[in-house]
Amino acid sequence: MKLNLKKVILGITFFVTNVMCAQTIVSGTITDASQVPLPGVTIMEAGMNNGTVTDFDGTYSLELKSSNPVLNFSYIGFTTQTITVGNQTTINVKLEENQQILDEVVVVGYGKMKKSDLTGAVSSVNAEQLERFPKVNAADALQGQVAGLNIRANSSDAEGSGTSILVRGQNSISASNSPLIILDGIPYYGNLSEINPVDIASMDVLKDASSTAIYGSRGANGVILITTKKGKSGKPIISYDTYYRLDEVGYYPEMMNGQRFGDSKVEYGEPLTNIEQKNYDARHTTDWMDIATRSGQSVQHNVSVRGASDRINYYVSAGINDNEGIVVGDDFKRISLRTNIETEITDWITFGTTTQLGFYDRDGIQADVSKAFNSNPLGDAYNEDGSYTLDSWEDAFWAANPMSDTNAKNNNDNWRVITNNYFDIKIPFIDGLSYKLNVGYNYSHRQYERYYGMDTRTGNKVNGELYNSYQYDKDWVIENIISYNKTFGKHKLFLTGLYSTQENTYQFNTVTGRGFPNDLLGYYQQSNASSLSGDSNYTQRNYVSQMFRSNYTFDERYLLTFTIRRDGYSGFGQDNKFGIFPSFAFGWNLSNEGFIKNSKSLDFISQLKLRLSYGENGNEAIAPYSSLAPLYSKANLDENHQTAVGYYPEKLGNPELSWETTRSFNIGTDFSLWNNRVSGSVDAYFSNTSDLLLNRTIPALNGTDQITENIGETKNRGIDISLNTINISKKDFTWKTNFIFSKYTTEIVNVGLVDDNGNYIDDVASRWFIGEPINVNYDYLIDGVWQVEDFNDPNIPDTMKEGYRPGDMRYKDVNEDGIVNASDQTLIGSAVPSFSAGLTNIISYKNFSFSFFLNSIVGVDRRNPILGNFIPQLENVYNVVDYWREDNPNTIYPKNTPGSNKYDTDYFDSATFLRLQDITLSYNFERELLEKIGLNNLQVYIDLRNVHTWTDWIGVDPEHTSSQGNPMPKSYLMGLKVSL
């Protein structure tokens, strides 16, 4: 009886102990070696499906479930630590950086791999890097972050949509050079501004042929993989971030004032009109750029909830971004909702969905900035009642007020649904074998309704004009993916097979009406139009693909990758719809070799890997039906004066039309030195693109002189360098630097034209020259201004002087035949940059973080119309005060008289620049304060954008395609991030 009672007491004690242990809560702070808090560290209880993650301040709290709990602390880039809890309730952990940084996981397409196992050139940008400098457009956040990724701001607007993206330069002459965008596993063809950057977890850029060959016919121009955020283990985290941004006009060239313009016009020989004379006498100047621009502003709000339980993880977010650009009428609003859910239905079946709903408002008609640059400063912008004039002065052809159409009623709305739904099945009884089904769908509907009333210049001419357009874009893809991932001792094998189909359809319908009794009904009065016309279009693209990829690793030292993909595209000729694209790559982890690991003289090497790859990719980026002979209609009257419609071919069909093919070699190295104080990669590449998709001129025997063929060849070579350094690492102070450098050269080998001897020749009319880049500057070469004494110089042939006067533009006699004509046009400067570079510095002191980003493009020359339009032929742009005169001969600008620029030649100017593009300062509040107000983290920050640009370029911005487009804004941003 006593023994039984003793057993009962022991049993009760054991039970109570277990209960108490199960209810134990452990908490603490996770930092790195410098005592900097680490957000996002995963803490898991060993043997239990129980865990959490640290907040922004590196703190965590976890309720334990086991009787003898053991915790694992893991974080990408750091060594995992395992700690037995025992009686501890507070566990603070200092994680050591994992020097094996190449073991980070990156997305490679149809799967993930450790960076140490990669054989291709892949660069990654994580959420922290993307969010460091807040942007409306995700493309802007990538600028200057990836070597070999060239992102250029061709223009400035509220949406941030004026960017072009190139991966390692141009390969194609006529087809698209844009990279393929993959969003959560499915192709994405929308604008990157329609994706909320806050939702993005990472962006991985596949650059070489071995990496991109997995996407076959669409990977020739590189691939950008965008992965959105998912839930993490632990309690739900509610996050909110917001910012307010003020935009001001950064820079535009000095314009002529009214007095200067009037004097120049009279000097030119043109009399002033009545309006000009009135304003000249009143010494009145209209600053059109000041009227067309304004202070812009942007407000963004984002809220998200993310977390995970035993079998489900989730990320749900909602965001709104409302932008007013610096040009009057330039507005953009984005509202996005995202739901990413992944659930384990069973131990071997997982279902997931990533879905975004988006609404995009582009209402408003913006002021015509290009016209503002060229408008008469002696014109009138306003009527007496304060409304805009339609014509700023008497000349109706030249004198449109750049603001005259901003009164138009405009509704430009776009809805988009992007969803990818998948089943991931681990095949029972076969360890390592899995099957994944992806079903993606992308639907976009755009409704564009515009009405120019009588208070607009366009509408006033025709008694009102409406334009209504309805556009639909649908894309679906089904992918069947089977994978086998297994380790056998020192052997690691990762096999992937794919079969996919895809269809894209595009449809739009438009109606244009003119002549209305009044403006009351705006664009809702098609039936009232005096004349009505319409247009419609429908295109469909279909793809079928099969792919096999094999990755093999031996002893973590030797890596082999082989990929082959077969693609079919409906847009090509009946005889050549399919193409096959193979690639292979080899990698060698030298740092895992004994002669390095055991060498004291080489102990500074933490990681060192060599890579070599070769692959073939296709480019099918041409319009559907390009292999067919399109027919154009033409209406004529027959003998009975009835309308008869006839059709004629625009060009000949070509059933042999097929892919451009790019064959590319890449050699590279990834390295980490001195315990990760210095790390980076270097890649050199060479590619050759053949069977270019070009239009060729043929004899017009069949009623047309054009045909699209696979002719011509280009080659491209370059180097990418990425370097990361930890310059200082102290307890309260760190300084890190990221540097990228890219250089490429593109060269035309031939464009299919041959001379009588069968030798390849230039296509001068198209500005395509053998041995030169695809894009060139080609014109007459300005050789100064004719001086009085030149006409008495016996060393200058008389034939050069004929037709010229002192003060006229002088042109270079390039071929030295004594006369200047079209054969003297030549290449001027370089339209391709010598190199581009980016430098980011991140400095942290206690709770403060300071970062700045420098961006540069060097060695590029561009045509500059601002300098060319210096003579005020009714209007003017740039304030030139240095025209040639007999008492002012030492100038580059000719005399201000008609005909002084015989060939209307523009000047070419250096567009080299160095820009302090972003400065950010942030502060994370102390944990003690946050606990008092019930928050997990609180961060405030300020950001300055487009701070200063060092350049000799004269125009709105050296990056912009047009020197007379929207100015680059200078931005001032204040933001806040908070989580519960």
Side-chain angles (χ1 to χ4, degrees):
M1 188 70 176
K2 292 181 180 180
L3 182 61
N4 292 337
L5 179 60
K6 187 175 182 179
K7 289 182 178 180
V8 170
I9 294 173
L10 287 174
I12 294 173
T13 303
F14 181 76
F15 173 78
V16 172
T17 302
N18 279 339
V19 171
M20 293 178 62
C21 289
Q23 294 177 341
T24 299
I25 296 177
V26 65
S27 62
T29 302
I30 313 299
T31 64
D32 63 10
S34 302
Q35 298 295 323
V36 176
L38 294 175
V41 176
T42 299
I43 301 98
M44 294 296 297
E45 187 175 359
M48 308 292 293
N49 191 13
N50 180 37
T52 186
V53 294
T54 58
D55 58 24
F56 255 83
D57 291 316
T59 61
Y60 73 95
S61 177
L62 180 64
E63 182 177 329
L64 304 177
K65 293 184 177 181
S66 61
S67 58
N68 187 25
V70 175
L71 297 181
N72 294 318
F73 299 82
S74 60
Y75 192 56
I76 292 178
F78 290 78
T79 301
T80 298
Q81 287 196 31
T82 300
I83 296 177
T84 301
V85 175
N87 295 325
Q88 302 177 83
T89 58
T90 300
I91 299 178
N92 297 319
V93 178
K94 183 189 296 182
L95 291 182
E96 299 293 331
E97 287 194 61
N98 183 355
Q99 310 306 330
Q100 314 299 317
I101 63 170
L102 297 184
D103 287 340
E104 296 177 12
V105 175
V106 297
V107 180
V108 294
Y110 307 114
K112 298 179 180 180
M113 294 181 64
K114 289 197 304 181
K115 199 169 183 179
S116 60
D117 291 338
L118 289 178
T119 55
V122 180
S123 296
S124 300
V125 180
N126 59 32
E128 180 185 358
Q129 293 171 284
L130 293 170
E131 295 175 6
R132 182 175 296 126
F133 305 115
K135 300 292 186 295
V136 176
N137 193 323
D140 294 336
L142 279 175
Q143 193 173 35
Q145 303 301 312
V146 176
L149 182 66
N150 304 104
I151 298 178
R152 174 178 170 181
N154 294 319
S155 63
S156 300
D157 60 14
E159 185 177 352
S161 61
T163 56
S164 62
I165 304 177
L166 292 177
V167 177
R168 292 184 166 181
Q170 286 182 279
N171 293 313
S172 179
I173 293 179
S174 296
S176 172
N177 285 283
S178 298
L180 174 66
I181 308 294
I182 302 294
L183 175 61
D184 286 327
I186 62 173
Y188 174 73
Y189 300 106
N191 196 313
L192 285 179
S193 62
E194 297 183 358
I195 301 174
N196 190 347
V198 177
D199 290 335
I200 298 176
S202 67
M203 300 178 78
D204 298 271
V205 183
L206 314 184
K207 297 183 288 187
D208 70 325
S210 173
S211 302
T212 61
I214 195 169
Y215 291 103
S217 65
R218 288 168 285 176
N221 300 316
V223 180
I224 299 178
L225 305 175
I226 302 176
T227 304
T228 56
K229 295 176 180 177
K230 294 184 178 181
K232 292 185 178 180
S233 298
K235 67 177 184 178
I237 298 176
I238 302 175
S239 300
Y240 169 74
D241 69 81
T242 182
Y243 69 68
Y244 172 80
R245 190 184 72 216
L246 177 66
D247 296 330
E248 299 289 349
V249 176
Y251 170 80
Y252 59 83
E254 180 185 358
M255 304 295 156
M256 280 189 173
N257 61 29
Q259 294 297 114
R260 172 65 179 148
F261 178 85
D263 293 340
S264 298
K265 188 174 181 182
V266 171
E267 180 185 5
Y268 185 73
E270 289 282 344
L272 299 182
T273 67
N274 292 334
I275 292 178
E276 290 176 323
Q277 190 67 54
K278 176 198 70 172
N279 288 323
Y280 181 85
D281 293 341
R283 306 188 70 82
H284 172 75
T285 294
T286 298
D287 188 339
W288 292 103
M289 282 298 293
D290 183 64
I291 295 172
T293 57
R294 64 187 178 185
S295 293
Q297 60 180 344
S298 175
V299 179
Q300 177 169 292
H301 301 280
N302 288 283
V303 62
S304 66
V305 181
R306 71 190 299 185
S309 60
D310 290 350
R311 289 189 174 272
I312 186 170
N313 72 73
Y314 54 90
Y315 172 83
V316 181
S317 73
I320 181 171
N321 188 282
D322 193 354
N323 299 301
E324 293 181 1
I326 59 172
V327 175
V328 174
D330 179 24
D331 302 312
F332 173 71
K333 180 183 289 185
R334 177 184 64 221
I335 300 175
S336 62
L337 301 172
R338 172 165 287 279
T339 302
N340 292 351
I341 298 176
E342 187 174 72
T343 180
E344 294 183 15
I345 299 175
T346 68
D347 291 339
W348 53 281
I349 299 179
T350 300
F351 170 76
T353 179
T354 60
T355 300
Q356 174 181 298
L357 306 178
F359 170 74
Y360 314 99
D361 184 343
R362 300 178 176 91
D363 293 351
I365 298 290
Q366 75 170 48
D368 190 335
V369 174
S370 178
K371 188 169 289 296
F373 267 106
N374 291 280
S375 286
N376 190 335
L378 290 176
D380 287 333
Y382 302 99
N383 296 308
E384 291 184 0
D385 62 359
S387 60
Y388 291 129
T389 60
L390 302 185
D391 299 316
S392 59
W393 58 302
E394 290 91 337
D395 194 301
F397 176 73
W398 290 93
N401 186 335
M403 310 297 294
S404 61
D405 283 343
T406 58
N407 288 329
K409 296 179 176 65
N410 190 66
N411 178 44
N412 186 355
D413 295 335
N414 188 197
W415 296 263
R416 184 181 292 276
V417 178
I418 310 166
T419 181
N420 184 30
N421 303 279
Y422 58 89
F423 281 96
D424 200 342
I425 302 172
K426 298 177 182 178
I427 306 300
F429 313 117
I430 306 179
D431 186 31
L433 184 64
S434 64
Y435 166 76
K436 187 173 185 179
L437 173 65
N438 275 341
V439 180
Y441 184 73
N442 188 334
Y443 173 79
S444 174
H445 171 220
R446 182 186 181 194
Q447 181 173 322
Y448 188 20
E449 299 162 325
R450 183 180 62 205
Y451 180 75
Y452 293 104
M454 294 298 293
D455 58 348
T456 67
R457 190 172 190 265
T458 299
N460 189 266
K461 290 181 177 180
V462 294
N463 290 328
E465 177 182 287
L466 68 77
Y467 175 83
N468 292 344
S469 172
Y470 303 93
Q471 174 181 310
Y472 307 90
D473 198 332
K474 294 180 289 185
D475 184 271
W476 60 260
V477 60
I478 299 175
E479 296 177 331
N480 298 273
I481 306 167
I482 188 165
S483 302
Y484 182 70
N485 198 339
K486 188 69 174 177
T487 299
F488 308 91
K490 294 183 177 182
H491 307 273
K492 186 186 299 182
L493 190 63
F494 180 25
L495 306 178
T496 307
L498 166 79
Y499 180 86
S500 73
T501 60
Q502 183 181 349
E503 179 178 282
N504 173 267
T505 57
Y506 170 80
Q507 177 183 356
F508 80 87
N509 298 280
T510 65
V511 173
T512 302
R514 294 185 178 92
F516 298 92
N518 55 60
D519 297 333
L520 294 178
L521 296 178
Y523 39 70
Y524 295 113
Q525 53 176 333
Q526 297 179 15
S527 60
N528 295 335
S530 299
S531 65
L532 202 64
S533 61
D535 191 15
S536 61
N537 189 22
Y538 176 87
T539 61
Q540 179 175 317
R541 306 169 190 251
N542 289 88
Y543 303 87
V544 176
S545 304
Q546 303 94 36
M547 183 275 299
F548 172 76
R549 177 180 63 191
S550 172
N551 295 97
Y552 170 72
T553 302
F554 174 72
D555 198 24
E556 303 292 337
R557 291 183 293 165
Y558 310 116
L559 319 167
L560 289 174
T561 300
F562 171 75
T563 306
I564 187 166
R565 177 157 174 152
R566 178 176 181 264
D567 276 310
Y569 173 50
S570 62
F572 286 130
Q574 186 64 37
D575 302 330
N576 282 299
K577 292 190 180 295
F578 285 88
I580 296 177
F581 306 98
S583 77
F584 68 86
F586 169 73
W588 181 15
N589 278 319
L590 279 85
S591 52
N592 290 338
E593 295 287 357
F595 65 85
I596 290 183
K597 294 173 67 175
N598 302 324
S599 172
K600 292 185 177 180
S601 61
L602 298 177
D603 60 1
F604 66 93
I605 298 177
S606 304
Q607 284 280 357
L608 181 61
K609 180 172 67 173
L610 297 180
R611 295 177 278 101
L612 177 66
S613 67
Y614 167 82
E616 299 179 8
N617 297 109
N619 188 353
E620 44 71 52
I622 59 171
Y625 320 117
S626 293
S627 64
L628 305 179
L631 297 178
Y632 276 63
S633 62
K634 185 174 182 180
N636 291 294
L637 297 179
D638 62 17
E639 63 273 10
N640 297 319
H641 299 283
Q642 299 294 317
T643 301
V645 179
Y647 296 89
Y648 63 96
E650 180 193 20
K651 63 179 182 179
L652 288 184
N654 182 5
E656 300 295 325
L657 195 66
S658 188
W659 280 273
E660 291 184 354
T661 301
T662 298
R663 298 170 177 85
S664 180
F665 286 93
N666 187 97
I667 183 170
T669 179
D670 302 313
F671 59 88
S672 172
L673 311 174
W674 296 292
N675 294 324
N676 198 28
R677 294 298 294 263
V678 178
S679 62
S681 62
V682 179
D683 283 272
Y685 58 89
F686 174 85
S687 63
N688 180 276
T689 302
S690 58
D691 298 327
L692 299 178
L693 293 161
L694 295 177
N695 287 329
R696 184 167 70 90
T697 301
I698 58 176
L701 300 177
N702 298 303
T704 181
D705 61 356
Q706 294 287 321
I707 185 172
T708 301
E709 291 186 323
N710 291 106
I711 55 176
E713 184 179 352
T714 64
K715 60 183 179 182
N716 183 18
R717 59 186 180 276
I719 185 171
D720 300 335
I721 299 174
S722 178
L723 185 65
N724 308 304
T725 62
I726 302 175
N727 308 309
I728 299 176
S729 180
K730 301 294 184 180
K731 178 180 179 181
D732 294 326
F733 183 80
T734 60
W735 173 24
K736 299 179 181 181
T737 299
N738 303 321
F739 172 74
I740 67 161
F741 173 92
S742 303
K743 177 180 176 60
Y744 72 90
T745 58
T746 302
E747 181 180 324
I748 293 176
V749 178
N750 75 81
V751 289
L753 298 181
V754 295
D755 59 17
D756 294 337
N757 298 319
N759 299 315
Y760 289 118
I761 59 175
D762 300 330
D763 185 345
V764 179
S766 301
R767 304 294 192 260
W768 297 335
F769 302 94
I770 295 174
E772 300 294 339
I774 294 173
N775 295 323
V776 295
N777 301 321
Y778 185 76
D779 206 337
Y780 293 94
L781 184 61
I782 297 174
D783 194 25
V785 179
W786 283 101
Q787 305 293 337
V788 174
E789 58 270 21
D790 291 337
F791 291 87
N792 299 318
D793 188 343
N795 295 318
I796 301 176
D798 291 338
T799 51
M800 288 283 294
K801 305 172 186 176
E802 293 177 0
Y804 294 96
R805 306 158 299 178
D808 285 350
M809 182 86 77
R810 183 171 175 174
Y811 310 97
K812 183 77 172 178
D813 179 17
V814 175
N815 60 10
E816 299 182 345
D817 62 354
I819 188 172
V820 173
N821 52 30
S823 61
D824 289 298
Q825 295 183 81
T826 187
L827 301 177
I828 302 173
S830 174
V832 178
S834 298
F835 66 87
S836 60
L839 180 69
T840 302
N841 280 276
I842 308 166
I843 301 170
S844 300
Y845 175 71
K846 294 187 176 180
N847 291 355
F848 288 95
S849 179
F850 174 76
S851 58
F852 65 91
F853 168 46
L854 289 165
N855 186 33
S856 181
I857 295 178
V858 177
V860 61
D861 302 284
R862 298 208 340 255
R863 186 185 300 272
N864 196 337
I866 282 183
L867 298 181
N869 293 341
F870 47 81
I871 296 176
Q873 301 178 26
L874 304 181
E875 301 187 38
N876 206 321
V877 180
Y878 181 51
N879 185 19
V880 175
V881 296
D882 201 24
Y883 297 131
W884 183 95
R885 299 184 304 273
E886 289 189 10
D887 61 347
N888 183 43
N890 298 319
T891 176
I892 64 172
Y893 300 107
K895 189 176 181 179
N896 184 25
T897 57
S900 62
N901 185 358
K902 179 179 179 181
Y903 294 112
D904 293 325
T905 300
D906 287 329
Y907 287 86
F908 287 84
D909 206 3
S910 171
T912 292
F913 71 88
L914 171 64
R915 172 175 290 138
L916 179 54
Q917 191 150 315
D918 276 288
I919 298 177
T920 299
L921 176 65
S922 64
Y923 178 79
N924 290 304
F925 283 83
E926 295 286 352
R927 179 65 187 172
E928 291 77 7
L929 174 63
L930 298 181
E931 289 178 348
K932 293 179 181 180
I933 58 178
L935 299 178
N936 281 332
N937 86 283
L938 177 62
Q939 181 191 74
V940 294
Y941 61 92
I942 59 174
D943 178 73
L944 307 180
R945 181 168 172 80
N946 190 26
V947 181
H948 185 75
T949 301
W950 293 269
T951 183
D952 293 329
W953 175 259
I954 297 174
V956 292
D957 193 84
E959 266 193 294
H960 286 191
T961 303
S962 172
S963 59
Q964 302 174 2
N966 292 6
M968 176 76 81
K970 183 173 291 187
S971 303
Y972 310 87
L973 183 147
M974 297 180 294
L976 176 145
K977 297 180 181 180
V978 61
S979 69
L980 302 175

